[in-house]
Amino acid sequence: MPFFVTAQQKTPAQASLLLTCLTFSAMAGGPLIGWFTGRHPLRRSWLVLGSAALTFSAFATLLAFDTPRPMWQLVFFTLAIGLGGPASAVGFDFARTFSERHRLGTASGFVNVGGFSATILAVLLVGLVLQLVSAPGATVYTLDEYRIAFGVLAVPWAVGVAGVIGSRRLARRDMAAGGVVVPPLREALRRRR
């Protein structure tokens, strides 16, 4: 809310609308993401990586400019960010797929704690950077200060993407050892045609 009102110069009503768009995006995206993961279980990592790319693109296009963005771009930003919530729930699906039955609760707990901890640490990181780049005692931040603080999120984003790619490689190796070979995406698309 403060980012939209102070840095993007939107009214409180416009900022509320943007947050509502974020919520509706998550609500609409959940069933679609669930359908996709159920129908294409071997392509779940592509969904997660696609969500990460969409999130990165939304932040990059927002932070690339040193002037407040038009409402349509902020709507796109909130819709893209809203999809990240249900996409992150794919982690629970991975935990169910690759964990032994008697360890499902523990696996789900690790997914839950991991996602929650990463979010809290990211929020803390943004807050710390805002304090470092702003005047001492500031409670209202400029667009440039927000741009620097949000830009720091590229570090945990990159760590997460590297983790997904590395885990996917290990999972596919283990699956191949068990006789399940995941064909390259282009081959799978060619077969559908």
Side-chain angles (χ1 to χ4, degrees):
M1 188 76 154
F3 171 72
F4 293 135
V5 173
T6 59
Q8 293 296 328
Q9 301 174 356
K10 300 303 178 216
T11 66
Q14 289 173 314
S16 294
L17 175 67
L18 290 167
L19 293 176
T20 301
C21 288
L22 188 140
T23 302
F24 281 129
S25 174
M27 289 170 54
L32 295 173
I33 289 169
W35 172 84
F36 181 86
T37 58
R39 187 167 171 99
H40 305 284
L42 296 178
R43 302 294 169 202
R44 292 173 295 185
S45 60
W46 281 108
L47 178 90
V48 172
L49 292 171
S51 172
L54 181 63
T55 299
F56 184 85
S57 299
F59 267 105
T61 55
L62 183 70
L63 302 178
F65 300 96
D66 61 357
T67 57
R69 305 315 313 139
M71 191 67 173
W72 69 265
Q73 187 176 357
L74 295 174
V75 167
F76 169 77
F77 172 76
T78 57
L79 293 175
I81 298 304
L83 289 173
S88 69
V90 174
F92 291 103
D93 199 32
F94 282 123
R96 281 189 297 275
T97 302
F98 295 106
S99 298
E100 296 173 22
R101 188 169 178 81
H102 68 281
R103 293 196 174 135
L104 288 178
T106 302
S108 292
F110 271 101
V111 171
N112 199 12
V113 169
F116 181 76
S117 299
T119 300
I120 295 301
L121 289 173
V123 169
L124 177 64
L125 182 63
V126 168
L128 289 173
V129 172
L130 276 174
Q131 286 185 339
L132 288 173
V133 299
S134 63
T139 57
V140 175
Y141 306 102
T142 67
L143 177 57
D144 285 336
E145 291 165 346
Y146 275 113
R147 289 173 67 213
I148 294 167
F150 287 150
V152 173
L153 291 176
V155 174
W157 177 88
V159 169
V161 168
V164 169
I165 292 170
S167 296
R168 177 174 71 176
R169 189 172 297 128
L170 292 173
R172 288 187 176 176
R173 184 193 66 201
D174 291 346
M175 290 169 66
V180 177
V181 178
V182 180
L185 183 60
R186 67 180 170 275
E187 183 179 321
L189 291 174
R190 194 176 318 125
R191 283 185 198 167
R192 285 199 97 184
R193 278 188 248 131

